[in-house]
Amino acid sequence: MESFLNALVSGLISGSLYAAMALGLTIIYGISRIFNFGHGVIALIGAYIAWIFVQNSKIADTSLLLGILVAIVFLFLLGFLLYRYTMNPLMKKPNWEISTVLFMLGLGILLENVILQIFGPRVKSIPVFKEGNIRIGMVQINWHEIIIIFIVILAIFLLNLFFKHTRSGQAMRAVAQSIPGAKVVGIDIEKIFGYTFGLAFVVTGISGILLGTKYYMNPHIGWEWMVKGFVIVCFGGLGSTNGAIYAALILGVVEALATLFLSAMWVWPIWFAIFMIVLLIRPQGILGGRV
Amino acid sequence: MLKVDSINGYYADLHVIKNLSLRIDQGEVVALFGPNGHGKSTLLKILCGLQHPKSGTILFNGENITAYPSHRIVELGIAYIPEARDLFGDMTVMENLNLGAYNKRARHSIPQNLEFVFEIFPRLFERKNQLCSTLSGGESRMVAVARGLMSEPSLLMVDEPSIGLSPSLRSSVFEALAKINREKGITLLIVEQEIRDALSMANRIYMIKKGEILFEKPSAEVDINEIEKAYF
Amino acid sequence: MKKIISNWQASFVAAIVIFLAAYPLLGPSSYLKHLFILFFIWSVVAAYWNLLNGYVGINSLGNIGFLAIGGYTSGILALRFGLSPLITIPIGGVVTGLLVTLFLGFPALRLSGIYIALLTLIFADSLPSILTQTRDITGGGMGLHEIPPFFPGMEKVHTYYICFVFFLIAMLILYKVIHSKTGLAFVAMRDSENLANTLGINRYQERLKVFAISSFMTGIAGGFYVHSLGDISPTTLSIEPFLLALAMIELGGIGTFFGPILGAGVIVFGNEFLRLAGTLRLTLLGALICGVILFYPGGIMQLVEELGTRIKVLFNRKKVTE
C-alpha cells in the first residue's frame, strides 16, 4: 500500500512536469496548426540558459531566478522572430504542412548540435530549489517536488487567466476557432501567431528548466522529452490544453505504476502502445476539444 | 467615401471580378444584386482586405487601401459581415462582441456600442453568456451583425443578411440594418437575394453579372422585372 | 522549343546512365566504387521517400525505419539460416511492406498529415530499443556483421553492377507509379487545391497502396544495403542517416522525379567532404535543410529549370536575330 501510494504521488509529480512540457506543443498547434518538431530543443535551451546562471554564481537562489527571467525573454524573442521570419513565409505556400515539419526538425537538430558544441556531451543538472523531505501520512515527498507542482499549477492558472481575460489571449482563442472570423474583426493574425510562438516557447523553456532540476539533461535528451510530449498531446487531443494536462497526469501515473509493478524497461513500450491505441480508437484524443 | 477603380479579382484560378468600378457615398445604403457565383462575395472580400485584387485601386476616404491587410482596413472603419458568419463558437456572445471591438479605435467606446447593439438586438442581451455554438441561425446572424457594429465602422458591408432566415426574422434583421443606417449614420453595402426587401431600404443599387457591373441606378428608378430578367 | 529541351534532358539522362554503366571500366579505386554503391542505394531510399512526402502528401518521417526492417530481415535470414540473398532480399521487402502497411499505414493514413508524421517518427524512434530487446537475433547494439554478399566470392565491381541494375529498375518502377492513373491523380491534387477528391479515386485506398509500394521498395533497398556493405547496426537508425536522406530530398527538389537522385549524388559525395567539418557536420546538415526549405524550396531541380528557361530564351533570341 505504501509503495503504491508513493508511486501514485511520484507519478502525479512527473505527470505535472509532462503537462508543462506538452502545453507549449499544444498551444502552438491549437492556434496556428503548426506542429513544432523542434519542441524538445526549445525546452533544452531554457534549461541550459538557467544552468549557465546557476553555474557561474555563489548565490544559487537569486541567480536561478535571474536565469529563468533571461530564458523567458530570450525564448519569447526567439519564438516571435522564428515565426515571423521562417514559419510565416512557409505558411503561405501550399505544401506548408510538410515544409514546416521538416524545417522545425532540421532546426531542432541544428540547435541540438549547437548546444553540443557549446556545452559538450556531459550530463548536467540544475540544483534543486529546496532540499529536504516531508512526510504526509504514508507518503514521502520532498520540498523540491512540492515547489515544482506549485509552479506548474501557477503556470496553468496564469495561462488560463491570460487566455480568458487579456486581449491577446482572447485573440489567440479567436484565431484558434476561426481564422476568417479573426481577420474580419481586425485581428492581425500574423502578429498573434508570432506572440503564440513566443508564449509557447516561454512555457516550453520553463518546463525544460523544471525537467532539468528533477532529472538531468544532455544535448540529446530533448528528443525523448519531445516524443513524450507527442504522445501526451495526441492522447489529450491535438490543440487541447486541458486534454494535455489530464493526459500528462494519467501517463505520469501509468509510468510510475508500470515501473513499480513491472519494471522500468516497460515504460517506453507502454507509452508507444498507448499512443497506438489512442490513434486507433480515438484519434481526436480523450477530450478532442480545442484551446 | 469608397471609390473602386477598375479592379480585377480571382477566386482560385477563376477570373471572377473583371475591370469593376463602383463608388459609395457617405450615409448611403447601396444594394448589390447579381446571380450566385458572379463575384459578389469575392468583391466584398476584396473590399475588406481578405483578398487582394490583381490590378486596380480602392480608395477609402481618399486613402489608397488596395494592398492593406484586413486588420488595417477594420481599423480605418470598414466592417464586413461574412455570409458564413465565422463566429467564435466556443466563446460566449459577450466575448464575441468584445472581440468585435478589437481594433484600437473601437476599444474606448465598447460600453456605448454594447448599449446600441443590445437595443437593436434585445435577444442578444438575454443570450449574452451563452456559447455561440449553441445559438440558432437567426441569433448567430444577429451576433455577426452586432460583432461588426462593435468595430465602430463608418461603412458596414453585409453579405446576404437574410439567407436561411424565416420571413419574420428576415424583416427584423432588415429593420435593424435600417436603424443602424438611420441612427448611427453608418453607410451600408448589402449583398442580397431578397430583392424586394433590399430595394425598399436601399438608395442605390448595382447589378453585377459575370464579374462586371451590368447597370447602376437609384432604387426609385428600378423596375423589378428588369432585375429579375438580369438574373437569367 | 519545348521538345528540344526535353530531348536535351532525355539525352542528358541517357549520357549519365551510359557513364554509370561504363564507369567501373575506367578503373576507379575501390573507395569510389563504394561511394557509387551508396549513391545507388540512397537514391532509391530518397526517391521512394519523396514519393510519399512530395507526391502523395503522406508526411512520413519513418522511411529509414523501413530500410532498417528490410535490411535486418534479409541480413538475419542470410546470416542465421544461410539462405541466399536472392531469396532473403525479396522476403525483407515483403516483410517491411506488410509490417509497415499494417501497423502504420492502416491507422495513420485515415488521419491528417501531422498524425502520420508523429506516428512514423515515433515508430522509427522505437526500433532501436526493440533491437536491444531482441539481442540474440539482431545483435543488439553491436548489430549484424559479416552478412554474406550477393554471391560467394564477389568483388566490388559485381556489387557495383548489381546495385546499379537495382537502381535502374527501382527508378523505372517509380516512374511507372508516378505516371500511372493514380500517380497522376495525386499530382493533380497536389498542384491544385480545388481538385481535392474530384478525380474519382478512393483516396485512402490509393494512399495505402502507394505507402505499401514505398515501404516495400525501401525494404528491398535495405536488403541491397546490408548485402553490399556487409553490416548493419542501430546507428543506421540514428539521427544522421535520417538527416542525410531528408537533405537529399530537400536539396534535390521535393516533389520532383530527378530531385532526390541529384540530391543523393550531391549528399553522398559531399558528405565525404563534410567529414572534414568533424562534429560540426550535423549542424551544417541541419542548416542546409533549413536554408533550402526557406530560401530555395525547389532545390537543385529549380536551378536546373531556371537554367533551362534561360537557355531557351537565349535560343529564341538567336532565332529572332537570325
Side-chain angles (χ1 to χ4, degrees):
Chain A
M1 190 63 195
E2 191 175 335
S3 58
F4 174 77
L5 274 181
N6 275 305
L8 200 67
V9 169
S10 92
L12 285 173
I13 292 162
S14 41
S16 62
L17 273 173
Y18 294 155
M21 176 75 211
L23 274 177
L25 260 183
T26 210
I27 287 172
I28 290 186
Y29 183 82
I31 293 164
S32 73
R33 300 284 125 171
I34 294 173
F35 205 94
N36 180 11
F37 274 83
H39 182 70
V41 84
I42 302 301
L44 267 186
I45 291 176
Y48 272 97
I49 290 177
W51 182 83
I52 297 174
F53 278 82
V54 183
Q55 204 52 27
N56 296 325
S57 86
K58 293 184 184 75
I59 18 167
D61 289 357
T62 44
S63 57
L64 179 61
L65 215 58
L66 186 66
I68 292 174
L69 283 178
V70 171
I72 286 175
V73 172
F74 180 80
L75 286 170
F76 184 84
L77 287 177
L78 180 70
F80 185 80
L81 296 175
L82 189 74
Y83 176 78
R84 175 132 197 194
Y85 292 106
T86 66
M87 293 294 112
N88 195 26
L90 291 180
M91 286 289 274
K92 295 193 170 134
K93 298 194 183 121
N95 64 344
W96 65 271
E97 197 168 47
I98 185 72
S99 62
T100 50
V101 165
L102 297 184
F103 183 89
M104 288 311 294
L105 258 177
L107 186 73
I109 294 165
L110 169 68
L111 292 176
E112 172 193 350
N113 283 282
V114 170
I115 291 177
L116 181 67
Q117 296 294 322
I118 299 174
F119 297 98
R122 296 251 319 264
V123 164
K124 299 183 179 4
S125 73
I126 303 170
V128 297
F129 301 132
K130 188 171 166 28
E131 303 276 356
N133 298 314
I134 53 167
R135 237 190 130 75
I136 306 166
M138 276 184 282
V139 179
Q140 176 101 357
I141 187 167
N142 60 44
W143 278 110
H144 180 63
E145 290 168 340
I146 293 176
I147 295 174
I148 285 181
I149 289 191
F150 175 74
I151 292 175
V152 171
I153 291 172
L154 183 72
I156 291 170
F157 176 73
L158 288 177
L159 272 177
N160 264 323
L161 227 56
F162 173 78
F163 281 128
K164 272 253 152 41
H165 297 291
T166 67
R167 288 202 88 74
S168 301
Q170 285 176 339
M172 282 177 194
R173 281 164 65 216
V175 172
Q177 287 171 37
S178 166
I179 286 179
K183 282 183 172 170
V184 162
V185 299
I187 294 172
D188 182 351
I189 62 163
E190 290 176 5
K191 206 155 106 191
I192 290 298
F193 284 156
Y195 290 158
T196 303
F197 266 72
L199 173 75
F201 277 25
V202 167
V203 176
T204 306
I206 292 174
S207 80
I209 296 171
L210 295 180
L211 283 162
T213 59
K214 174 101 166 69
Y215 305 107
Y216 63 92
M217 62 209 202
N218 66 34
H220 311 298
I221 195 83
W223 298 104
E224 195 180 301
W225 294 350
M226 179 168 87
V227 169
K228 284 189 174 171
F230 287 171
V231 179
I232 290 165
V233 295
C234 286
F235 190 18
L238 280 187
S240 157
T241 43
N242 288 337
I245 294 165
Y246 296 137
L249 292 176
I250 294 172
L251 286 167
V253 170
V254 167
E255 184 183 88
L257 295 182
T259 315
L260 177 67
F261 291 117
L262 301 164
S263 81
M265 200 191 86
W266 284 95
V267 168
W268 268 113
I270 287 176
W271 278 84
F272 190 66
I274 289 175
F275 186 64
M276 290 296 290
I277 293 166
V278 167
L279 286 194
L280 282 172
I281 298 171
R282 208 176 150 76
Q284 72 274 36
I286 44 177
L287 287 189
R290 293 265 190 79
V291 175
Chain B
M1 177 175 225
L2 186 78
K3 197 163 175 303
V4 177
D5 193 17
S6 48
I7 55 166
N8 283 286
Y10 289 79
Y11 179 81
D13 303 332
L14 301 174
H15 191 178
V16 286
I17 302 283
K18 292 169 193 149
N19 231 10
L20 187 145
S21 302
L22 58 80
R23 81 186 151 75
I24 294 167
D25 297 328
Q26 183 81 44
E28 270 191 309
V29 177
V30 176
L32 207 58
F33 297 134
N36 279 329
H38 283 233
K40 298 183 311 279
S41 293
T42 306
L43 175 63
L44 291 197
K45 279 185 188 152
I46 287 176
L47 294 182
C48 75
L50 285 179
Q51 240 174 280
H52 297 288
K54 279 267 155 68
S55 62
T57 52
I58 304 166
L59 296 180
F60 183 63
N61 293 332
E63 192 172 348
N64 186 346
I65 60 165
T66 318
Y68 280 15
S70 52
H71 61 97
R72 288 196 63 189
I73 289 180
V74 174
E75 183 106 43
L76 288 174
I78 299 182
Y80 163 62
I81 292 151
E83 185 194 329
R85 292 166 201 152
D86 293 322
L87 299 180
F88 309 121
D90 290 341
M91 292 183 172
T92 63
V93 170
M94 204 60 192
E95 283 178 307
N96 269 271
L97 295 182
N98 271 322
L99 276 166
Y102 185 82
N103 73 76
K104 282 198 192 81
R105 208 169 30 77
R107 274 177 214 180
H108 307 292
S109 30
I110 290 179
Q112 299 95 290
N113 286 333
L114 269 183
E115 204 177 315
F116 178 67
V117 159
F118 287 142
E119 185 195 319
I120 53 172
F121 298 120
R123 181 98 68 106
L124 294 188
F125 185 73
E126 298 161 24
R127 308 263 146 129
K128 65 178 180 178
N129 292 321
Q130 208 169 314
L131 288 186
C132 277
S133 54
T134 64
L135 297 179
S136 71
E139 287 162 348
S140 9
R141 173 61 53 194
M142 290 173 197
V143 176
V145 175
R147 194 180 65 179
L149 282 175
M150 291 300 294
S151 72
E152 202 157 82
S154 47
L155 169 62
L156 184 67
M157 306 190 296
V158 197
D159 198 353
E160 309 234 1
S162 73
I163 198 166
L165 299 186
S166 68
S168 70
L169 267 174
R170 196 196 299 156
S171 62
S172 69
V173 166
F174 275 111
E175 260 166 46
L177 286 173
K179 203 167 173 186
I180 289 162
N181 175 253
R182 208 169 50 236
E183 290 184 11
K184 285 261 169 177
I186 294 173
T187 312
L188 291 179
L189 173 61
I190 297 172
V191 165
E192 189 47 73
Q193 303 287 15
E194 293 297 332
I195 295 161
R196 274 165 222 280
D197 285 333
L199 260 184
S200 66
M201 69 179 289
N203 304 107
R204 212 146 52 81
I205 68 133
Y206 280 97
M207 182 74 210
I208 280 196
K209 199 164 188 188
K210 291 185 178 152
E212 290 167 323
I213 301 282
L214 203 61
F215 56 79
E216 177 255 314
K217 266 184 189 170
S219 41
E221 296 169 21
V222 172
D223 175 6
I224 197 135
N225 296 323
E226 183 179 28
I227 292 182
E228 272 163 5
K229 214 175 81 194
Y231 267 81
F232 301 104
Chain C
M1 273 330 271
K2 199 173 177 212
K3 191 133 197 272
I4 293 175
I5 294 291
S6 64
N7 278 350
W8 282 2
Q9 273 182 357
S11 31
F12 189 71
V13 171
I16 295 275
V17 171
I18 291 170
F19 167 77
L20 289 173
Y23 180 71
L25 303 177
L26 302 174
S29 67
S30 168
Y31 173 65
L32 274 172
K33 271 180 265 175
H34 170 75
L35 286 186
F36 273 97
I37 291 166
L38 285 179
F39 161 70
F40 294 141
I41 294 167
W42 280 110
S43 292
V44 175
V45 174
Y48 277 88
W49 196 340
N50 176 51
L51 173 66
L52 298 181
N53 284 2
Y55 280 98
V56 187
I58 298 172
N59 299 338
S60 168
L61 297 175
N63 283 46
I64 300 289
F66 310 165
L67 175 89
I69 295 180
Y72 265 102
T73 309
S74 183
I76 288 166
L77 290 177
L79 200 60
R80 307 261 191 255
F81 301 94
L83 295 174
S84 157
L86 292 180
I87 309 163
T88 62
I89 292 176
I91 295 177
V94 171
V95 167
T96 314
L98 280 178
L99 273 181
V100 167
T101 311
L102 284 178
F103 287 102
L104 285 178
F106 271 114
L109 292 183
R110 285 183 195 282
L111 307 169
S112 81
I114 220 67
Y115 282 101
I116 301 171
L118 284 172
L119 193 59
T120 47
L121 185 75
I122 292 183
F123 159 79
D125 210 49
S126 65
L127 288 179
S129 57
I130 294 177
L131 290 175
T132 349
Q133 299 298 329
T134 52
R135 195 170 294 116
D136 300 343
I137 315 165
T138 61
M142 299 297 294
L144 299 175
H145 296 282
E146 290 168 15
I147 299 166
F150 300 102
F151 301 103
M154 274 186 48
E155 283 173 42
K156 208 103 207 176
V157 184
H158 304 128
T159 315
Y160 179 99
Y161 278 113
I162 288 174
C163 290
F164 177 53
V165 170
F166 165 62
F167 163 79
L168 287 180
I169 294 172
M171 289 307 157
L172 209 66
I173 295 172
L174 183 62
Y175 188 85
K176 288 278 176 210
V177 171
I178 291 170
H179 289 80
S180 69
K181 182 175 161 262
T182 307
L184 292 173
F186 278 118
V187 172
M189 272 194 262
R190 179 192 70 187
D191 295 342
S192 172
E193 298 162 39
N194 302 329
L195 224 59
N197 257 336
T198 53
L199 295 165
I201 60 166
N202 180 337
R203 194 149 166 273
Y204 173 64
Q205 221 171 65
E206 296 302 322
R207 269 158 61 108
L208 205 57
K209 259 188 226 165
V210 178
F211 196 66
I213 292 171
S214 172
S215 53
F216 170 75
M217 287 304 291
T218 311
I220 297 270
F224 278 87
Y225 179 88
V226 295
H227 296 291
S228 302
L229 303 183
D231 42 37
I232 184 168
S233 74
T235 43
T236 312
L237 289 157
S238 67
I239 206 88
E240 189 178 344
F242 174 79
L243 208 53
L244 285 171
L246 275 188
M248 290 170 195
I249 299 170
E250 282 297 336
L251 184 68
I254 189 166
T256 63
F257 182 78
F258 291 108
I261 305 174
L262 289 172
V266 174
I267 295 290
V268 166
F269 292 95
N271 194 33
E272 298 305 306
F273 292 101
L274 225 52
R275 281 185 205 286
L276 300 174
T279 49
L280 270 174
R281 199 167 69 251
L282 291 177
T283 318
L284 291 175
L285 272 173
L288 176 75
I289 291 178
C290 290
V292 170
I293 293 176
L294 203 55
F295 300 115
Y296 211 70
I300 298 175
M301 283 310 284
Q302 188 184 342
L303 189 72
V304 169
E305 237 157 67
E306 277 169 16
L307 287 178
T309 3
R310 227 168 263 175
I311 292 168
K312 210 159 102 180
V313 169
L314 220 72
F315 242 80
N316 280 343
R317 209 177 284 158
K318 234 185 216 165
K319 259 200 174 154
V320 172
T321 47
E322 273 167 13

